[in-house]
Amino acid sequence: MDKLIITGGARLSGELRISGAKNAALPILAATLLSQSPVSVGNIPHLHDITTTMELLGRMGVDLTVDEKMNIEVDSSTINSFVAPYELVRTMRASILVLGPLVARFGEAHVSLPGGCAIGSRPVDIHINGLIKMGADITVENGFIHAKAGRLQGCRLVLEQITVTGTENLLMAAALAEGTTIIENAAKEPEVTDLAHFLNKMGAKITGIGTDVLVIEGVEKLGVDSIHYDILPDRIETGTYLIAAAITGGSIKLKNTRPDILDAVLEKLVEAGADITTGKDWIKLDMHGKKPKAVSVRTSPYPAFPTDMQAQFTAMNAIADGVGIITETVFENRFMHIQELQRMGADIKLESNTAIVTGVKKLTGAPVMSTDLRASASLVIAALVAEGDTLVDRIYHIDRGYDHIEEKLSQLGATIRRVPR
Ligand code: EPU
């Protein structure tokens, strides 16, 4: 297994280009299953989860072509299987995103149940119940969701809880249903919005995009003409590099990003003492060499502070001036990074869903273990300021969601290298 070795102490500076958003690319690639014609998707990030999605679609018989710029052309007309097998779903829960499109277009899907993961139990009952309400016949047997359906029927869905991939699955299904579907209490994450714009470009009739009530007038066919769509920039990758610079007292400019979808994160960085300036597609952060001030954050669905940035802020608070209170309300167990940060000298007390982080003068390098994607990012961030070397093990988690992280950090002046297994 590859490892990262990071020597702390370098102040980050320079410019970076942000990649396309993983969590928009995954549903959009799944949504290509709905298209009659080949679809081309651009600004695809270079990530393990993308490779897994391509393998998943490939195993179903879908034809995929990738060019040197990571544009992926997907032709689903050759599909010959409607199965998402356990060995792929196990490595990437987002495989569940093929459920809605398969049922809606082909009337059949067999998707392995994802099960729990490092950040919580993560059930998919809202996805399943929504499809049942739209007329699908669904059974769960031998660890698989088996779905059969004629044409799905539009209906009113009031989601019990805000769910990102749940909203996406139901949105994709509703796009081909007969009649109108209304999804209330829908997730408003920018990645859901990006998927809705993609579906509309393929001919779907979705209104209320960006709000928590999505109205979908079903159409008979999608993607009658070939289209090209570029994925929106990754707001979590953006936030992660901003924190990486902030913790080192650095100064960076991130390009090809979207400040307008990062309000909650940028506000907290300003509170931490960062000077932030933005343009339409760039963000500059300057700490003027200062140490960050501790900030308190409470995670919640968009537009509030994202759970996917919680671990990174925990790491920043670990060496900040003062005490920061981190409250996680989206996932019940998203604190696996804390024990590893403590091994680097952090002073963190965990009380149920709240972490009380008291900034210390210094962290020290240590061998640490990645447990999930964002937890791993927080360890890399802490390592950037730790005294000596930190060896981050099991970085396949990082490779799932960060495009060439060691190259990008090196470009900003960090001392980081990958050690192959
Ligand atoms: N939930 C249910 N029932 C459901 C679905 C969700 O109870 O049927 C609960 C979950 O257990 C959780 C809450 O609802 O407590 C919210 O989970 P959500 O469904 O929104 O999460 P997700 O769709 O599985 C996506 C992202 C995550 C991100 C969350 C929250 C993708 C592929 N994944 O997950 O991204 O943390 O939304 O914003 O879009 C990551 O990129 O590192 C990552 C984990």
Side-chain angles (χ1 to χ4, degrees):
M1 258 175 266
D2 287 6
K3 300 170 178 45
L4 286 176
I5 298 180
I6 300 143
T7 309
R11 183 167 286 169
L12 299 194
S13 69
E15 291 191 356
L16 262 195
R17 199 186 136 81
I18 292 302
S19 301
K22 166 178 86 78
N23 289 347
L26 302 180
I28 285 174
L29 286 174
T32 61
L33 288 171
L34 295 165
S35 179
Q36 303 282 323
S37 319
V39 186
S40 154
V41 187
N43 202 27
I44 294 269
H46 208 280
L47 301 173
H48 230 264
D49 273 7
I50 297 295
T51 319
T52 307
T53 305
M54 289 174 68
E55 186 175 347
L56 176 62
L57 295 176
R59 284 211 208 171
M60 292 178 186
V62 172
D63 190 42
L64 298 125
T65 322
V66 190
D67 71 14
E68 68 290 350
K69 287 189 181 151
M70 280 296 281
N71 286 307
I72 302 185
E73 190 174 274
V74 190
D75 179 358
S76 61
S77 64
T78 49
I79 195 162
N80 54 29
S81 150
F82 309 113
V83 180
Y86 178 58
E87 71 261 30
L88 291 181
V89 180
R90 194 180 55 165
T91 59
M92 191 188 67
R93 298 177 48 85
S95 309
I96 187 79
L97 286 165
V98 298
L99 180 64
L102 286 178
V103 179
R105 179 156 178 225
F106 304 104
E108 183 178 350
H110 308 277
V111 178
S112 171
L113 268 176
C117 76
I119 64 178
S121 63
R122 302 182 78 181
V124 288
D125 54 318
I126 298 170
H127 307 226
I128 294 176
N129 293 340
L131 290 171
I132 291 175
K133 207 156 174 213
M134 294 171 85
D137 186 4
I138 299 191
T139 53
V140 177
E141 251 173 31
N142 309 111
F144 267 80
I145 304 165
H146 298 286
K148 289 254 181 212
R151 186 159 182 211
L152 294 173
Q153 299 297 307
C155 64
R156 178 166 169 253
L157 300 169
V158 183
L159 307 191
E160 210 176 293
Q161 189 168 340
I162 297 175
T163 157
V164 173
T165 49
T167 302
E168 291 166 346
N169 245 332
L170 298 172
L171 182 63
M172 292 186 279
L176 277 186
E178 188 173 358
T180 304
T181 303
I182 301 172
I183 307 179
E184 291 185 33
N185 200 27
K188 294 181 288 196
E189 268 63 8
E191 294 75 20
V192 177
T193 296
D194 209 35
L195 169 67
H197 287 312
F198 172 74
L199 291 169
N200 274 357
K201 198 159 180 186
M202 286 203 302
K205 292 190 175 154
I206 304 167
T207 53
I209 298 175
T211 76
D212 59 3
V213 182
L214 294 167
V215 179
I216 307 110
E217 212 186 296
V219 296
E220 262 183 49
K221 285 181 179 168
L222 285 167
V224 176
D225 301 314
S226 286
I227 59 150
H228 174 84
Y229 191 84
D230 285 317
I231 303 286
L232 98 162
D234 196 315
R235 66 194 165 105
I236 307 300
E237 187 196 25
T238 305
T240 302
Y241 285 107
L242 291 175
I243 296 268
I247 201 171
T248 65
S251 163
I252 62 166
K253 180 177 181 184
L254 301 178
K255 296 188 296 189
N256 190 41
T257 186
R258 286 265 307 269
D260 59 311
I261 53 174
L262 270 148
D263 287 330
V265 170
L266 297 182
E267 263 171 42
K268 287 291 164 189
L269 283 165
V270 168
E271 206 182 308
D275 237 347
I276 303 261
T277 39
T278 59
K280 188 170 167 281
D281 62 354
W282 56 265
I283 303 175
K284 255 189 193 169
L285 172 144
D286 197 342
M287 289 298 284
H288 304 290
K290 286 177 307 193
K291 198 174 176 178
K293 287 182 264 190
V295 289
S296 294
V297 302
R298 183 184 176 83
T299 68
S300 254
Y302 189 84
F305 186 89
T307 172
D308 289 344
M309 285 302 302
Q310 179 261 105
Q312 300 88 319
F313 270 78
T314 307
M316 185 176 77
N317 277 343
I319 56 96
D321 278 335
V323 180
I325 314 279
I326 307 273
T327 310
E328 173 60 60
T329 76
V330 179
F331 292 110
E332 69 271 23
N333 185 29
R334 207 172 197 181
F335 278 129
M336 302 285 275
H337 44 289
I338 286 182
Q339 284 184 8
E340 300 301 294
L341 291 171
Q342 285 166 336
R343 298 186 55 252
M344 298 174 74
D347 177 355
I348 307 177
K349 285 191 187 61
L350 189 56
E351 286 173 11
S352 88
N353 70 337
T354 302
I356 302 153
V357 191
T358 306
V360 293
K361 281 221 160 54
K362 66 165 193 189
L363 295 173
T364 49
V368 290
M369 194 86 88
S370 296
T371 48
D372 70 79
L373 174 55
R374 309 302 171 188
S376 323
S378 78
L379 300 178
V380 170
I381 286 167
L384 291 172
V385 286
E387 205 173 83
D389 287 353
T390 299
L391 184 143
V392 185
D393 204 349
R394 298 204 179 162
I395 57 158
Y396 55 84
H397 290 292
I398 298 192
D399 293 332
R400 287 189 44 208
Y402 287 94
D403 192 346
H404 291 99
I405 192 166
E406 71 274 25
E407 284 165 31
K408 288 192 175 187
L409 281 173
S410 301
Q411 199 179 321
L412 296 175
T415 311
I416 178 168
R417 69 193 156 93
R418 180 179 289 255
V419 188
R421 70 181 89 187

